[in-house]
Amino acid sequence: MDKWLRNTNVVRVVALVIGILLWVVVHMEETNISGSSPIREREETINNVSITTKYDNTHYYLSTLEPANVQVLIKGKESAVKKVTASNSYQIQLDLTQVGKGDHQLMLTPVGFPTDVDVTIVPRTVHVVIEELQMKEVPVVINVKGTPSEGLKAGQPIIKPAKVYITAPTSQLDKIENVRGEVSVDKAQSAVTKQVRLQAYDKDGKELTQNINLNPSVVDIEVPITSPFQTIPLQLKISGEPPKGYAVAMVTQTPDKVTVYGTQDVVDRLEFYQGPQLSLQDLTETKDFTQDIPLRNKVTQVDPAKVTVHVEIVPSVTKAIENVPITIIGGNENYVTKVVQPETGNLNITVEGAPAIIDQLKVQDIQAILDVSNLPPGKHELKVTMNLPTYVKLAVPQEVKASVEISEKTKAP
């Protein structure tokens, strides 16, 4: 046996025989495989396939897509069909990149399917409505909720930025009434600072959330917490008057209103605030005064704290006013009161003041009042109280007097 194996010719013959046998075996297997069964085809239905849209969502909004899902029928070799159903690499695509705003009926396109399968889409077309996105600027409204600590009050919110931009489809943009946020100051003892998320609302107060973009969507809010306050007129107390030959033409003050702070009951009962007293005594020329506004009646703060008063002084003029009627007050209904001096019951006086004021002065602007309260029957000489317009005075400083006679009413027989 060893001699045969050492023989080259014998080895060659054996190798040739083995090679022939291998070829026969392989050829028989291929014949059996190819002849064992024919190529098989398969049909498959895929339901509820969502549609993938492709469009410029920075300028347009797809408001309608009907239907949103379709049925896909695929047909081909069984292996190819199985490959499709086992993967998620395919899409049913709606390409809107070349389509503008409006109402359209468009074809769907199968994407990602093997070339050796047939694809049928049911339905093949869809109805779409495309809207253009628009932008507008709107102010921010902040609702302040809650109550600060006792004796304190929430001020006007400071909003940064005070306006935001809204981007939305045209149909949505028209519904937006305002953009609001909310901040709580409950039990706060100092200014409340926080970031607040904004939301758009329609005119009925309904929150709008779909397809609306706010820029920015969050703003910085600061709510001042202060004592209760009220802004009221500032009243100056003016005393004295210029010397003879001079008159006040005008007095102006800055400011004419102040904000006063204090407890709620103090602030609520104030209708005006009494400012500093200003003396015009012996003033002969136009002058500006700057004075501190004092704290009164438990007010804790006044803003601003100073007032500037401009007093215009001019040379005065005089004017005679005749037949100023005397008005009697305080009379007893059981008595008759009659002016006996002057006999006419009217006064003739001379007044002094700035030309612009005196030129416009009429008898009706002057009151001469005689108070007879608690006087018994008889004759009485009394001082007449002269109520003159502001910055008008008697040309000759003196007491104006009148006489009255008080008597019982005559009883009917």
Side-chain angles (χ1 to χ4, degrees), residues 249-269:
M250 181 184 301
V251 175
T252 56
Q253 65 184 68
T254 305
D256 58 356
K257 292 183 178 181
V258 291
T259 301
V260 293
Y261 297 80
T263 60
Q264 196 68 59
D265 61 327
V266 168
V267 170
D268 287 345
R269 67 171 177 258

Side-chain angles (χ1 to χ4, degrees), residues 257-373:
K257 292 183 178 181
V258 291
T259 301
V260 293
Y261 297 80
T263 60
Q264 196 68 59
D265 61 327
V266 168
V267 170
D268 287 345
R269 67 171 177 258
L270 292 175
E271 296 182 2
F272 65 90
Y273 192 74
Q274 185 65 60
Q277 179 170 313
L278 180 65
S279 175
L280 306 183
Q281 190 68 36
D282 298 328
L283 192 63
T284 60
E285 60 182 2
T286 297
K287 188 174 181 180
D288 289 332
F289 300 85
T290 298
Q291 293 186 299
D292 293 330
I293 301 174
L295 298 179
R296 307 178 190 275
N297 302 321
K298 298 183 179 179
V299 168
T300 59
Q301 181 184 345
V302 178
D303 186 27
K306 293 180 181 292
V307 60
T308 299
V309 184
H310 175 76
V311 181
E312 184 178 347
I313 302 294
V314 297
S316 65
V317 296
T318 60
K319 182 177 183 179
I321 306 293
E322 297 180 346
N323 297 319
V324 178
I326 297 175
T327 301
I328 298 175
I329 64 171
N332 191 314
E333 61 180 10
N334 296 320
Y335 294 89
V336 175
T337 303
K338 180 182 177 181
V339 177
V340 293
Q341 185 65 37
E343 295 179 358
T344 61
N346 297 325
L347 294 174
N348 296 329
I349 61 173
T350 301
V351 294
E352 180 182 359
I357 297 175
I358 295 299
D359 287 347
Q360 303 296 322
L361 192 63
K362 300 181 179 62
V363 172
Q364 296 90 326
D365 300 326
I366 300 172
Q367 285 184 320
I369 298 174
L370 205 56
D371 189 353
V372 298
S373 300

Side-chain angles (χ1 to χ4, degrees), residues 378-393:
K379 290 185 179 181
H380 304 274
E381 186 180 48
L382 303 172
K383 178 182 177 181
V384 179
T385 300
M386 301 300 301
N387 285 343
L388 300 174
T390 305
Y391 310 130
V392 174
K393 59 186 177 181

Side-chain angles (χ1 to χ4, degrees), residues 25 31 37 41-42 59 85 100 110 144 194 199 222 244 287 299 322 352 355 363 378 403 408:
V25 170
T31 301
S37 61
E41 289 196 346
R42 180 175 176 178
H59 292 89
T85 57
V144 178
K194 66 179 299 185
Q199 187 59 56
E222 181 179 347
K244 184 173 178 57
K287 188 174 181 180
V299 168
E322 297 180 346
E352 180 182 359
V363 172
S403 296
E408 291 186 16

